[in-house]
């Protein structure tokens, strides 16, 4: 009933979306004018991010270098943000297993350790579950995964409840490992979810932002500051860090999960560095009230930025998909003392295209000879190295694409985006 009421309100007072390719010959400008309700900024950013669109300027007087003319994308943006949008207003869901039209989604959180992905995928292979899509993040000794699996026999979702119970029980045992002080989760939930959105929620709920005792206060951490202006009833958050794809999305996700409303902001990129500034209030209308709350905001935003930064050597695997493929590949990694710090598993038209970030499980530099041996075992043309082991041990590996954004919006109810191109 509440959902229907929200849809009615949205149709009575819909967001106004204007996509303009005429005002400037080299820029597409997307303007979203709507009430500044909780989550609207996240909806906009999520839709644009999912389309792999690179945003460079928000003000029309700065001339970008490309026009977006794909009518299908323009129409999709208008429909996604307009009055007929079916975008879920409430995106917080529990962790677990849920059946969808063509697969079963499994959401997991637990303590990270070398070989964890290998053990999880081995359990799924043993239970005749084929992993068709998955994303795995690790941060601050914690791990989170969203996996889409199918029944080996039927090729569809797992319908047998007893079998689902077995999957949950065995995976939970694997995730717990020998660490009894932190909880592992594998429980049932319902409804569709956005994978990266869920990973942020899961790691936030798992408190991956809590620093361990004795943790090095590294200069590599992003610079995050929160201050209150004496003559204003809001807090100002400023962030300086290395620019990378989806940085804006990651930060907005966390601010939304922490129940803050962004009512003004500015995001700029200067060379390899990103600068972001947000004016925020809690949903109860108050600014940050205490030093403890300020410190929590800082820690949570640092974690949001660092979760997606993947330390290690980037390996890409492309081959014909089959049941047990992920289990076999990650077992080879584990047997060669490599730990997976992040993974993206996709299946398209019977082809598996997987990306792994790996590092030596003992903390030493990745040995090129080990990588060569693994490639010979799996197949030189099937498993490719992106970059070199030496480069990977010097700095975190990131996507070669960039997600740039300038001048977020000028008022509480107005967003102006300058879209320039797809970064896929």
């Amino acid at each position: 009933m509440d959902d229907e009421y929200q849809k009615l309100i949205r149709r009575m007072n819909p967001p106004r979306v204007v996509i303009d390719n005429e005002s400037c010959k080299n820029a597409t400008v997307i303007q979203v004018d709507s009430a500044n309700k909780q989550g609207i900024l996240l909806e906009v950013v999520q839709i644009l991010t999912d389309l792999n669109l690179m945003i460079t300027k928000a003000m029309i007087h700065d001339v970008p270098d490309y026009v977006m003319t794909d009518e299908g994308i323009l129409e999709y943006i208008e429909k996604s943000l307009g009055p007929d949008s079916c975008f879920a207003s409430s995106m917080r869901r529990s962790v677990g297993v849920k059946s969808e039209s063509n697969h079963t989604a499994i959401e997991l959180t637990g303590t990270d350790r070398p070989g964890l992905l290998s053990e999880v995928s081995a359990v799924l292979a043993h239970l005749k579950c084929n992993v068709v899509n998955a994303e795995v993040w690790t941060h601050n000794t914690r791990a989170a995964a969203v996996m889409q699996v199918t029944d080996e026999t039927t090729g569809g979702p797992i319908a047998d409840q007893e079998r689902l119970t077995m999957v949950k029980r065995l995976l939970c045992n694997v995730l717990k490992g020998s660490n009894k002080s932190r909880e592992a989760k594998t429980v049932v939930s319902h409804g569709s979810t956005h994978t990266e959105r869920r990973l942020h929620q899961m790691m936030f709920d798992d408190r991956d932002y809590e620093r361990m005792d004795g943790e090095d206060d590294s200069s590599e951490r992003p610079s995050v500051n929160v201050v209150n202006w004496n003559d204003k009833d809001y807090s100002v958050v400023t962030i300086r860090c290395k620019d990378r794809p989806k940085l804006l999305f990651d930060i907005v996700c966390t601010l939304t999960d922490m129940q803050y409303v962004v009512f003004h902001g500015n995001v700029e990129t200067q060379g390899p560095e990103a600068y972001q500034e947000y004016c925020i209030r809690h949903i109860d209308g108050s600014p940050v009230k205490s030093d403890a709350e300020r410190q929590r905001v800082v820690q949570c935003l640092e974690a949001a930025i660092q979760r997606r930064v993947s330390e290690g050597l980037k390996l890409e695997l492309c081959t014909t998909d089959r049941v047990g493929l992920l289990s076999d590949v990650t077992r080879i990694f584990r047997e060669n003392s490599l730990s997976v710090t992040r993974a993206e598993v996709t299946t398209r038209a019977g082809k598996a295209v997987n990306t792994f970030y790996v590092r030596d499980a003992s903390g030493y530099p990745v040995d090129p000879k080990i990588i060569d041996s693994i490639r010979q075992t799996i197949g030189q043309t099937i498993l490719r190295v992106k970059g070199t082991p030496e480069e990977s041990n010097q700095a975190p590996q990131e996507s070669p694409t960039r997600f740039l954004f300038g001048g977020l919006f000028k008022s509480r109810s107005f967003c102006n985006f300058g879209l320039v191109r797809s970064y896929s």
Side-chain angles (χ1 to χ4, degrees), residues 162-201:
E162 290 187 5
R163 188 172 169 200
L164 280 178
T165 299
M166 175 71 75
V167 168
K168 289 184 288 183
R169 181 173 61 81
L170 294 181
L171 289 180
C172 199
N173 289 338
V174 169
L175 289 163
K176 285 180 181 177
S178 58
N179 190 338
K180 305 301 182 182
S181 62
R182 293 294 296 269
E183 186 180 5
K185 294 184 180 179
T186 329
V187 297
V188 176
S189 66
H190 304 283
S192 60
T193 59
H194 181 278
T195 299
E196 294 173 343
R197 178 81 174 98
R198 283 299 298 136
L199 287 167
H200 274 299
Q201 291 175 330

Side-chain angles (χ1 to χ4, degrees), residues 195-310:
T195 299
E196 294 173 343
R197 178 81 174 98
R198 283 299 298 136
L199 287 167
H200 274 299
Q201 291 175 330
M202 292 157 63
M203 298 202 88
F204 175 77
D205 290 341
D206 198 42
R207 308 190 310 279
D208 74 315
Y209 52 84
E210 293 181 348
R211 295 176 189 162
M212 307 297 290
D213 291 338
E215 181 186 7
D216 181 24
D217 217 10
S218 172
S219 60
E220 302 241 336
R221 287 216 325 258
S223 172
V224 181
N225 292 289
V226 181
V227 298
N228 288 353
W229 285 9
N230 294 331
D231 58 340
K232 303 291 183 181
D233 57 347
Y234 55 74
S235 301
V236 178
V237 178
T238 57
I239 300 167
R240 289 187 182 274
C241 64
K242 185 176 180 181
D243 185 39
R244 60 164 174 75
K246 302 185 179 181
L247 178 62
L248 175 63
F249 172 79
D250 296 338
I251 291 170
V252 172
C253 272
T254 295
L255 288 173
T256 303
D257 282 341
M258 296 186 74
Q259 302 295 296
Y260 290 105
V261 177
V262 176
F263 64 93
H264 186 72
N266 183 58
V267 182
E268 298 177 354
T269 302
Q270 300 174 348
E273 186 178 73
Y275 173 81
Q276 303 193 8
E277 181 180 270
Y278 301 95
C279 299
I280 66 170
R281 292 191 188 103
H282 196 267
I283 57 173
D284 64 8
S286 66
V288 173
K289 298 177 181 178
S290 65
D291 287 339
E293 182 183 357
R294 181 178 294 105
Q295 185 62 25
R296 186 168 183 265
V297 171
V298 169
Q299 290 183 353
C300 289
L301 289 176
E302 287 177 350
I305 294 168
Q306 293 175 321
R307 285 170 195 147
R308 200 190 291 269
V309 176
S310 304

